[in-house]
Amino acid sequence: MNLFPANWADVPLASLSLLGPLALFALVSSITPGPNNVMLASSGLNFGFRRSVPHLLGVNLGFTLMIFLVGVGLGSVFQQTPVLYTVLKYAGAAYLLYLAWKIANSGPLDEGEARGKPFTFLQAAAFQWVNPKAWVMAVGVVATYTPQNGFFANLVIATLVCGIVNLPSIGIWVTFGTALRRVLHRPAAIRAFNVGMALLLVASLYPVALELLR
């Protein structure tokens, strides 16, 4: 397998033809509900857009780096040592349940601002490694949209496309949560929203639950 093409112009046209489908995949997978988007919407509501920016950037750059690292060989590590992936998967599921509990028990806006803290950049970036949806997306990009001919150049292109598409897609969720601050003033309404977000977060774990049932 040729990892490094002699010239970036040598990247096959077939690889470039995948840019449209890749961008569509990145858009659909980034903008649909999942652990990251649920948490970003909740952060927007409880902390506002400005305080949620480190969380937003951490998700974007952390996920982008994840695609690249999976592409350059981390995926093969898990193939050789499946137990590592299994441990990471179930540890991630347990952590998501903990986050769902924290979201469900968030207080009113003024209380949340006083005692709560949004995710930091590093926390959000590290969270991608225990996020089941992020793993599915990263593996899907590498396996489906990164041709083997001129693999490294294709991987860099795929990583950049996903990073560019992902940022505004997840930003919509922060904006959505922030906009709700103007509507949800009563503690009961805020409580209902946070509980709803927590339930969505739990629901996102259904693939892990199905695997356990089998």
Side-chain angles (χ1 to χ4, degrees):
M1 180 176 65
N2 182 23
L3 291 180
F4 300 91
N7 192 310
W8 281 74
D10 294 336
V11 177
L13 291 178
S15 303
L16 299 179
S17 69
L18 290 175
L19 289 181
L22 170 61
L24 182 60
F25 171 83
L27 174 64
V28 172
S29 56
S30 294
I31 206 169
T32 50
N36 279 324
N37 290 336
V38 168
M39 292 167 60
L40 286 169
S42 180
S43 181
L45 173 70
N46 290 287
F47 305 110
F49 192 94
R50 183 180 61 81
R51 294 186 65 193
S52 299
V53 167
H55 187 170
L56 173 70
L57 295 178
V59 169
N60 176 252
L61 296 180
F63 172 64
T64 302
L65 178 62
M66 183 182 193
I67 293 175
F68 184 77
L69 292 180
V70 168
V72 296
L74 190 56
S76 64
V77 173
F78 290 117
Q79 288 181 345
Q80 296 173 7
T81 315
V83 67
L84 291 178
Y85 178 72
T86 301
V87 169
L88 185 64
K89 177 171 58 180
Y90 289 115
Y95 185 57
L96 284 173
L97 290 176
Y98 166 74
L99 291 175
W101 179 82
K102 292 283 287 182
I103 290 173
N105 288 277
S106 298
L109 294 183
D110 53 352
E111 182 181 354
E113 291 173 353
R115 71 175 186 179
K117 293 182 179 179
F119 259 31
T120 66
F121 174 86
L122 290 179
Q123 286 174 330
F127 173 71
Q128 304 317 301
W129 297 97
V130 295
N131 180 358
K133 184 180 179 183
W135 274 107
V136 171
M137 292 170 62
V139 172
V141 168
V142 174
T144 308
Y145 300 102
T146 311
Q148 299 299 298
N149 187 12
F151 177 78
F152 187 80
N154 288 321
L155 176 62
V156 171
I157 293 172
T159 300
L160 291 175
V161 169
C162 289
I164 292 170
V165 173
N166 176 262
L167 183 59
S169 299
I170 61 177
I172 290 174
W173 286 81
V174 184
T175 304
F176 168 68
T178 304
L180 289 179
R181 292 168 66 89
R182 302 176 182 177
V183 179
L184 302 180
H185 297 293
R186 292 180 299 176
I190 297 170
R191 172 77 172 179
F193 176 83
N194 285 330
V195 169
M197 292 294 101
L199 292 175
L200 281 177
L201 196 56
V202 173
S204 70
L205 293 173
Y206 77 90
V208 178
L210 288 177
E211 185 176 328
L212 284 174
L213 290 176
R214 292 170 186 168

